[in-house]
Amino acid sequence: MDTQKGVHSAEHLSIKLLKAVLLCACTLGILLSLVQVFLDAHLSSADIDRKARELLAMIHDPASKAADRLDTDMGQEVLNGLLEMKSVQVAAIRLDDASNLAKVERPIFASRYRLLSDYIFDSIRIYRQPLEPGKEHFGELILSIDTAYEGKAFIQRSVVVVFAGIIRAIAMALLMYLICSTLLTRPMNRLIRHLSSIDPEAPGQQQLPVPEGNENNELGLWVRTANKLLTSINYHQSLRQKAEARIMRLSQYDYLTRLPNRRTLQNQINTFIQKATNKHENIAILCLGLDDFKSLNAQVNFNAAEHILVKVSDRLRNCIGNKAYIGRLGEDQFAIIQSKIEQPYEAAEMAQSLIRQLDRPFEINNEQLTISATVGITLFPDDGEDVDTLLQQAEFAMIMAKSRSHNRYQFYVATIDTEIRQRKRLEMDLHQALENRELSLAFQPQFNYQKGELVGAEALLRWNHPEKGVISPDMFIPMAEHSLDIIPIGNWVLENACQQLNKWHLDGHQNLRLAVNLSAIQLQDQNIADRIAFLLNKYQIPPETLELEVTETSIIDDLEASKVQLQNMKDIGVTLALDDFGTGYSSLGYLKQFPFDKIKIDKSFVEDLPDNRENCGIVEAIVQIGKSFGLKVLAEGVETVEQETYLAKKGCQEGQGYYYGKPLSAHDFIGLISSQGALPGNTQVEGGDYETLGDNND
Ligand code: C2E
Ligand code: CA
Ligand code: CA
């Protein structure tokens, strides 16, 4: 019977309704019947009286005559006629002397309704009428009426009335119930069934049907309103779901490239590791870092750099397809997980194809930009068994590969660990190098083509490690920059260079010029210009004989700040040279804005001159740029007479390289200057007994 889940049958609205209607109808029916019965009783009582009086009136005259004549027979006859009426119990003609002239009598009616009817009408009603036809008085007429007859009829009528009332009430109640259940309960039950079949996840997809025939009443309105509500719930639910999905995406994916982020990658690697452990499979994790992305970031604007990252990630993703899983580790680093590999060469192939993806230049703001990448690879389970180790080692391998050369890949090998540890050790040693007087300067001559003589030198830092011997600045300068030891070391270089230059000037080489390299970190040092001014003053050096070399990459980190710093130096009067020109993102824009006096063509463009067409073009272009900006041009890495001839012919003013001399000790350098007549070709070998300038270690 229970059609709707959750509603007990006794609680059904229709049953409740039925009960209420029944109760009301019955009560009302009984009440109305009782009123009717009461009225009936009243009328019946009056009727008894009326009939009795009619009877008395009817026999008044004959009874008066009989009393007048004292005719008993006549009196008896008159009274006998009354007995025809069943309700007449006693009738008598009483004379004034209290004797009865005539009397008729019948026994009381033995009715089973007596008890009730006696209560309502009294059992016997007595009526008297004086017998006075004229002015005389003959006695009285007495009539006693038995009410049981009228009472019986009244009770029977009342029973019918009450029953009929109750039956009518029940019938009405049932009818009401039927109507209600047809019009309300059944359509509602149907709606409830529909409602319960609605998917709570998508409440708007199924609409409630308007019950037939109820389109325009409250039920129809209810259904339409409910449908509107469902649609609205659905809409808001979908908004919420979208927002949730967005939050989920943001927390798991990189906002820019839409690749999985570092945390998602870590989880994914974990999953891969678990699977691979069960099935004894190998996984390769490739860490891909873009080369020199920082410089690129500084060169193009922020939006363009982000755009490039998106394009790079698109290419990588396309290259990988469904062969591997890719995510973004950080700024310019991506990680690629290759599961189920059989041989390490598969990872190498993947690395190679990823690197190749970046061969084609990227076009940003109508400019072609070349980006390369370096990849470090670790293998599970050979190189490590947990996510962090594997990722860290892949990153190490990548960093090591970058430090060797860009645009290549490198497997993680145990030696990298050692290498990293050795690096750390070396970094600590470097920290002590100044104090331990292990640093020195070498001087590489610079030749002027117009004057045909050596005009100066570049001071190059040397570190003589007690165990490892001479270590290349290419190796230890980045370390010193990383640890910020470059600040004291750079200051030491400046001080010693100035001291040396002063010595040479005093020894009679007044025009000699000395170039000193400034690191990016030194360029950010707010005190650098003051310090240079102080040193120039301390060693009485004409400012223009001190040349400061900075690279493009070091000024590009913060163009505005660099401009201010360089201008401050320029104001002191020193010469400024732009080192390694052509290797960065040589943009003519900043050459104009910066107060350079000289550009140094990087040695990579001087190589193979004049045979290498491409390099010839580059060198020619740089010389032209120098001319149009009014800058001197010096070529680095000049090793042969052919190079020199070509450079001089093209209008390059100065040269530096092994052809004129390797970096020499101060002593050897000044020896070379003194024997200028024997030049060129009279080059000496680096590593001769150049003196160590350790006087200013503090
Ligand atoms: P750089 O400033 O470009 O210095 C020129 C480098 O080219 C020197 O290497 C020099 O030995 C080398 N070189 C010169 N002529 C030739 C040549 O004809 N052929 C070849 N193949 N190489 C030649 P070095 O001394 O190893 O210095 C490497 C780099 O270390 C320098 O590059 C410079 O960036 C940095 N560096 C050296 N000393 C200092 C310093 O005192 N402070 C800073 N911040 N950096 C320094
Ligand atoms: Ca230099
Ligand atoms: Ca250089």
Side-chain angles (χ1 to χ4, degrees):
M1 282 303 280
D2 195 355
T3 46
Q4 302 100 47
K5 246 202 239 163
V7 183
H8 190 269
S9 47
E11 294 291 322
H12 284 177
L13 202 58
S14 49
I15 301 293
K16 246 184 161 169
L17 191 80
L18 179 63
K19 280 184 193 166
V21 172
L22 262 182
L23 188 73
C24 291
C26 285
T27 316
L28 207 66
I30 290 171
L31 268 177
L32 286 175
S33 307
L34 285 180
V35 171
Q36 212 175 331
V37 167
F38 179 76
L39 281 175
D40 194 12
H42 202 71
L43 287 176
S44 298
S45 170
D47 212 31
I48 294 170
D49 290 347
R50 187 184 48 81
K51 278 181 183 159
R53 298 215 182 282
E54 271 173 16
L55 283 178
L56 287 175
M58 195 173 72
I59 60 165
H60 177 266
D61 287 352
S64 299
K65 254 181 217 158
D68 183 26
R69 292 175 200 164
L70 293 172
D71 183 346
T72 309
D73 290 342
M74 188 183 170
Q76 199 64 38
E77 206 171 315
V78 170
L79 293 183
N80 279 347
L82 281 184
L83 281 184
E84 272 167 35
M85 294 291 294
K86 278 187 196 160
S87 57
V88 176
Q89 196 240 332
V90 178
I93 302 171
R94 184 162 290 179
L95 299 176
D96 284 338
D97 59 359
S99 64
N100 288 333
L101 178 73
K103 181 180 176 183
V104 288
E105 191 173 1
R106 74 150 65 94
I108 288 265
F109 177 41
S111 162
R112 50 190 165 121
Y113 304 105
R114 260 252 78 104
L115 205 65
L116 189 61
S117 69
D118 284 359
Y119 177 73
I120 300 170
F121 300 112
D122 299 331
S123 86
I124 302 287
R125 284 192 190 178
I126 296 169
Y127 305 87
R128 289 168 196 274
Q129 178 150 32
L131 290 172
E132 343 172 83
K135 281 181 182 158
E136 294 157 284
H137 182 87
F138 303 116
E140 63 177 351
L141 199 55
I142 296 172
L143 186 65
S144 163
I145 296 287
D146 185 349
T147 60
Y149 293 98
E150 191 61 36
K152 180 183 172 189
F154 163 77
I155 287 171
Q156 282 172 340
R157 260 196 332 272
S158 297
V159 169
V160 171
V161 164
V162 171
F163 265 104
I166 291 175
I167 298 289
R168 205 168 38 224
I170 291 176
M172 280 299 287
L174 286 175
L175 201 65
M176 279 279 285
Y177 165 72
L178 273 179
I179 292 171
C180 268
S181 87
T182 315
L183 290 183
L184 279 178
T185 324
R186 259 191 242 148
M188 272 176 79
N189 282 344
R190 241 173 283 135
L191 285 176
I192 290 167
R193 271 198 298 278
H194 272 288
L195 263 179
S196 52
S197 70
I198 282 177
D199 178 9
E201 290 299 314
Q205 277 177 8
Q206 224 178 319
Q207 295 272 296
L208 296 176
V210 178
E212 221 177 354
N214 290 291
E215 289 77 7
N216 298 320
N217 59 21
E218 288 86 342
L219 209 56
L221 186 64
W222 187 91
V223 170
R224 281 195 297 277
T225 314
N227 279 338
K228 261 191 221 158
L229 186 68
L230 289 176
T231 315
S232 158
I233 292 174
N234 199 56
Y235 172 69
H236 286 98
Q237 198 155 313
S238 77
L239 284 186
R240 203 200 63 225
Q241 281 166 348
K242 272 185 203 152
E244 275 173 3
R246 209 176 122 74
I247 291 170
M248 189 80 148
R249 255 204 323 278
L250 284 178
S251 69
Q252 294 182 337
Y253 292 86
D254 171 46
Y255 77 98
L256 182 66
T257 59
R258 313 223 167 230
L259 290 176
N261 61 18
R262 192 180 193 108
R263 196 192 311 175
T264 313
L265 259 172
Q266 284 170 322
N267 291 340
Q268 194 59 43
I269 297 177
N270 239 330
T271 318
F272 277 126
I273 288 179
Q274 273 161 17
K275 274 193 206 152
T277 314
N278 296 337
K279 297 184 181 168
H280 303 287
E281 287 170 350
N282 297 315
I283 305 173
I285 291 166
L286 290 76
C287 175
L288 181 144
L290 301 183
D291 299 329
D292 294 327
F293 190 72
K294 230 175 148 191
S295 325
L296 179 103
N297 221 340
Q299 195 206 352
V300 297
N301 64 38
F302 180 72
N303 286 343
E306 286 206 327
H307 197 55
I308 292 173
L309 271 176
V310 173
K311 286 192 165 185
V312 167
S313 67
D314 285 347
R315 281 201 202 169
L316 297 179
R317 199 182 352 220
N318 287 343
C319 163
I320 283 168
N322 53 9
K323 287 178 285 195
Y325 185 93
I326 181 169
R328 187 179 174 202
L329 278 180
E331 197 188 13
D332 56 350
Q333 283 186 18
F334 300 86
I336 294 97
I337 317 167
Q338 228 183 340
S339 56
K340 294 189 211 162
I341 63 155
E342 312 236 306
Q343 294 294 329
Y345 80 82
E346 292 170 43
E349 275 180 354
M350 169 69 80
Q352 200 103 60
S353 60
L354 288 172
I355 290 171
R356 232 179 290 127
Q357 285 309 307
L358 306 182
D359 281 352
R360 259 182 306 126
F362 290 84
E363 202 186 295
I364 298 288
N365 304 336
N366 296 327
E367 231 182 292
Q368 303 271 327
L369 286 169
T370 338
I371 292 169
S372 60
T374 304
V375 179
I377 307 169
T378 27
L379 301 172
F380 169 87
D382 295 354
D383 298 330
E385 305 216 324
D386 66 281
V387 181
D388 290 341
T389 314
L390 287 164
L391 266 179
Q392 194 186 39
Q393 287 172 348
E395 270 173 72
F396 277 166
M398 189 220 23
I399 292 167
M400 293 315 292
K402 272 195 180 179
S403 72
R404 296 198 169 104
S405 84
H406 289 161
N407 209 15
R408 48 171 283 173
Y409 65 89
Q410 158 102 50
F411 275 93
Y412 176 84
V413 276
T415 51
I416 285 185
D417 240 0
T418 331
E419 230 169 293
I420 297 256
R421 235 175 284 129
Q422 279 173 350
R423 253 174 187 255
K424 288 253 148 68
R425 174 85 242 154
L426 216 57
E427 228 176 271
M428 279 154 68
D429 290 347
L430 183 61
H431 193 64
Q432 302 295 322
L434 258 187
E435 218 169 289
N436 297 345
R437 299 179 170 220
E438 290 160 14
L439 299 181
S440 63
L441 288 179
F443 302 91
Q444 185 173 33
Q446 295 178 333
F447 189 81
N448 185 296
Y449 296 133
Q450 273 144 8
K451 295 183 184 160
E453 59 177 21
L454 296 175
V455 288
E458 177 178 358
L460 293 164
L461 187 58
R462 295 293 174 260
W463 179 19
N464 197 358
H465 191 277
E467 290 154 27
K468 298 188 185 341
V470 178
I471 295 175
S472 160
D474 278 332
M475 165 92 173
F476 72 81
I477 296 284
M479 270 159 84
E481 285 176 335
H482 182 245
S483 66
L484 296 185
D485 278 339
I486 192 70
I487 298 286
I489 292 177
N491 285 339
W492 180 90
V493 171
L494 273 171
E495 171 112 41
N496 280 272
C498 288
Q499 192 187 30
Q500 186 60 66
L501 187 60
N502 171 249
K503 222 178 191 180
W504 287 334
H505 285 174
L506 293 179
D507 286 350
H509 306 282
Q510 293 91 339
N511 296 326
L512 263 192
R513 187 189 66 208
L514 186 58
V516 175
N517 292 287
L518 278 190
S519 135
I521 308 287
Q522 282 175 285
L523 204 59
Q524 287 162 20
D525 179 1
Q526 294 299 316
N527 302 319
I528 189 76
D530 290 344
R531 178 147 186 91
I532 291 166
F534 167 80
L535 290 173
L536 289 176
N537 185 42
K538 178 175 173 187
Y539 294 104
Q540 290 300 302
I541 297 170
E544 66 281 2
T545 60
L546 180 68
E547 188 167 281
L548 298 171
E549 294 187 8
V550 292
T551 60
E552 277 180 288
T553 37
S554 67
I555 56 176
I556 229 151
D557 270 353
D558 187 346
L559 282 173
E560 283 312 305
S562 307
K563 208 195 295 180
V564 174
Q565 289 281 66
L566 288 174
Q567 192 55 54
N568 289 343
M569 291 180 208
K570 184 73 197 169
D571 292 344
I572 300 168
V574 295
T575 314
L576 294 178
L578 182 58
D579 205 358
D580 302 343
F581 189 73
T583 56
Y585 294 90
S586 319
S587 144
L588 300 179
Y590 66 81
L591 263 186
K592 245 192 283 181
Q593 303 171 21
F594 284 79
F596 288 115
D597 302 286
K598 181 189 269 186
I599 34 186
K600 295 184 81 176
I601 306 177
D602 188 69
K603 55 179 174 287
S604 57
F605 304 119
V606 177
E607 248 176 308
D608 315 327
L609 284 181
D611 299 334
N612 184 322
R613 296 268 102 223
E614 204 180 331
N615 277 355
C616 286
I618 292 172
V619 167
E620 255 181 73
I622 296 178
V623 173
Q624 274 313 313
I625 290 170
K627 267 190 195 149
S628 52
F629 285 102
L631 303 173
K632 259 195 201 158
V633 177
L634 178 147
E636 289 183 310
V638 183
E639 293 183 353
T640 64
V641 67
E642 288 81 12
Q643 287 170 326
E644 179 188 71
T645 315
Y646 181 84
L647 289 162
K649 196 176 89 193
K650 289 297 167 192
C652 188
Q653 286 96 337
E654 293 183 351
Q656 176 184 348
Y658 295 168
Y659 184 59
Y660 310 105
K662 286 201 168 181
L664 302 167
S665 67
H667 176 266
D668 288 348
F669 173 74
I670 214 65
L672 185 69
I673 292 285
S674 310
S675 60
Q676 281 241 30
L679 273 175
N682 184 20
T683 48
Q684 297 182 10
V685 182
E686 183 179 6
D689 66 329
Y690 49 78
E691 60 187 11
T692 301
L693 295 162
D695 315 357
N696 299 298
N697 273 348
D698 30 22

